[in-house]
Amino acid sequence: MALNFDGNSTIRCRYCGQLNHTRAGSSGEARCGRCRLPLSDRPHKKFPDLDKHAYVHPADSRALAALRAIPGIDSALKKFLAVTGESAIRVIFMASAVHVTPRQCPDLYAKLQVACTTLGVDMPELFVQQNPIVNAFTGGVERPVIVLHSSLIERLTDEEVLAVIAHEVGHVHAEHVLYLTAARLLEALANVALANVAIAKAATAILSGTMRAALLAWARRAELSCDRAALLVTQDPDIIGRTMMKLCGGTFASKVDYQEFLQQARDFQKSYDESVLDRFWADVVSSNLTHPFPIWRVSEILRWVESGEYERVLNGAHTSVAA
C-alpha cells in the first residue's frame, strides 16, 4: 500500500490486480472497484501449473474410475451429446440469459478472471439466468459455459459469489465437463415434462441403465472436488462454509450462528462415520439429489483443511496422485 501526499492511499487488489485509490478516514471495508472483493495487503496465491490430482476428492476419483471402466462409455457419451447438440446449450443461454462480458456485469467478469487465473484455466463464457432455483452449473464440451441463477447470486456476498464461480471453474480444470454435461442433460430429461420427448428416448437407446446410474453417482461426488477448487481460489474456508450455510438456510441464514452451523457439520460427519444406519439413510436420500447435502459438503471441507492437505496444496505441493 502506498500513501499519497493528500493522505489517501493506493492499493493493488490481491485478486484481480486492479490499482485502487482509497480515501483517508473513509468508513467501511475498502473494496476493489473492479472485482468488488475486499482490499488487503495479504497475498493471493495463483496456481498456473496446478495438477488436478492435488485436490480431487478420493470419492470423485473412485466413482470416475468405476464410470470409465464401463465398456464403451466415452463413445456412448459423445454420441449422446452429438444427438442433443452442444450448440443448443449456447443458443438457449444466449437467448434467455444475460451474457457476462467486460462491459456487462463487469464485476462478475472480473471474478471469473480471478478464478481462471488462479487455477490456470482458459476463460469459459458466463451467463446469469433468471431462475428461482438456487443453483449454478457448467455445461458444454469443447467450449464450456457457466450459468449462475439469479436467485443464487442475489443472496450471496461478493466473496461467496467468487466461491460459486470458482467451484464451476473447478469443473473445467478437473476435466469434468464431458461427463458433467451428460449428467445434467440426463437429470433434465428425467423431468416429467420431458419424459416422452425424442431426446429422452435417444438417451435411453444410447446409454445403458448402468451407464446412466454410474454417471449420476459420479456427478454428485465431483461436486466435492470443486468445493476444494473453490477453496483454493478464495483461500478462506469460512467463505465456503458461509456459502453452504446460505444454501441450507436461504434468507434465514442471517439469523444462523455460523459456529453452531460448523458444529452441526462435524456432528453429521461423526454420525455418518460411526453409525451404519445413519450412513445408509444419508446415502439412500442423497442418491436422488444432483449435489451432496450442503452440510456434508461443509464437513468434507473441514476435514480437508484439518487434515493439513489444503495447506499442503496451497503452499505448492501440486503433484500428488489421485487416490
Side-chain angles (χ1 to χ4, degrees):
M1 181 183 294
L3 190 66
N4 300 328
F5 290 113
D6 58 6
N8 296 333
S9 59
T10 59
I11 182 171
R12 191 171 297 279
C13 177
R14 71 193 189 104
Y15 294 100
C16 73
Q18 170 84 8
L19 190 63
N20 294 266
H21 300 277
T22 60
R23 294 182 179 180
S26 58
S27 60
E29 184 180 45
R31 289 185 171 266
C32 176
R34 181 168 178 265
C35 67
R36 302 304 305 158
L37 296 170
L39 294 173
S40 169
D41 285 331
R42 290 184 299 153
H44 182 262
K45 296 186 178 183
K46 310 290 185 187
F47 312 102
D49 301 313
L50 180 64
D51 181 352
K52 67 179 182 179
H53 295 311
Y55 67 86
V56 164
H57 194 283
D60 176 358
S61 297
R62 289 192 296 267
L64 187 57
L67 180 62
R68 286 176 169 164
I70 299 173
I73 183 68
D74 279 3
S75 59
L77 288 178
K78 289 176 181 176
K79 184 177 180 182
F80 172 54
L81 292 175
V83 170
T84 56
E86 180 180 17
S87 62
I89 297 172
R90 187 161 281 95
V91 168
I92 288 169
F93 294 113
M94 268 296 195
S96 66
V98 175
H99 189 198
V100 174
T101 70
R103 294 182 299 278
Q104 181 69 274
C105 308
D107 65 304
L108 291 180
Y109 188 84
K111 290 180 180 70
L112 177 63
Q113 283 188 315
V114 169
C116 289
T117 56
T118 302
L119 296 176
V121 171
D122 292 336
M123 291 269 289
E125 291 187 89
L126 177 63
F127 293 87
V128 176
Q129 184 185 52
Q130 153 58 27
N131 197 312
I133 298 174
V134 177
N135 197 15
F137 59 90
T138 302
V141 180
E142 300 298 330
R143 298 168 60 197
V145 170
I146 294 173
V147 179
L148 308 178
H149 286 178
S150 57
S151 56
L152 175 65
I153 60 177
E154 284 167 355
R155 66 182 59 183
L156 300 180
T157 65
D158 283 288
E159 298 95 302
E160 292 159 359
V161 171
L162 174 64
V164 170
I165 292 174
H167 174 102
E168 299 305 325
V169 171
H171 282 305
V172 180
H173 184 268
E175 300 178 311
H176 287 163
V177 181
L178 169 65
Y179 291 153
L180 192 67
T181 300
R184 296 300 176 242
L185 283 170
L186 285 177
E187 288 159 0
L189 294 174
N191 293 336
V192 174
L194 296 174
N196 294 317
V197 301
I199 293 175
K201 294 177 181 177
T204 303
I206 295 169
L207 300 175
S208 69
T210 300
M211 289 178 180
R212 296 195 299 273
L215 183 64
L216 296 176
W218 163 79
R220 287 190 298 276
R221 290 159 177 82
E223 302 299 334
L224 300 176
S225 296
C226 294
D227 288 342
R228 293 178 172 190
L231 178 53
L232 290 173
V233 172
T234 62
Q235 296 169 25
D236 183 346
D238 288 332
I239 293 175
I240 309 301
R242 291 182 185 281
T243 302
M244 295 302 159
M245 186 172 72
K246 289 183 179 178
L247 290 182
C248 278
T251 55
F252 185 74
S254 61
K255 300 180 180 179
V256 176
D257 184 291
Y258 177 61
Q259 294 304 321
E260 287 297 313
F261 178 75
L262 295 184
Q263 186 58 48
Q264 180 183 343
R266 290 189 174 94
D267 291 343
F268 171 86
Q269 189 66 59
K270 187 173 186 294
S271 296
Y272 183 84
D273 291 342
E274 296 178 358
S275 170
V276 174
L277 186 59
D278 285 1
R279 182 162 58 253
F280 168 78
W281 282 116
D283 290 344
V284 167
V285 175
S286 65
S287 67
N288 294 315
L289 303 176
T290 61
H291 291 66
F293 297 118
I295 287 286
W296 205 338
R297 295 168 68 177
V298 173
S299 71
E300 288 293 342
I301 282 294
L302 289 173
R303 175 179 283 182
W304 196 48
V305 170
E306 292 166 0
S307 72
E309 284 297 299
Y310 160 65
E311 195 70 28
R312 187 185 63 79
V313 177
L314 191 69
N315 290 329
H318 305 156
T319 57
S320 70
V321 178

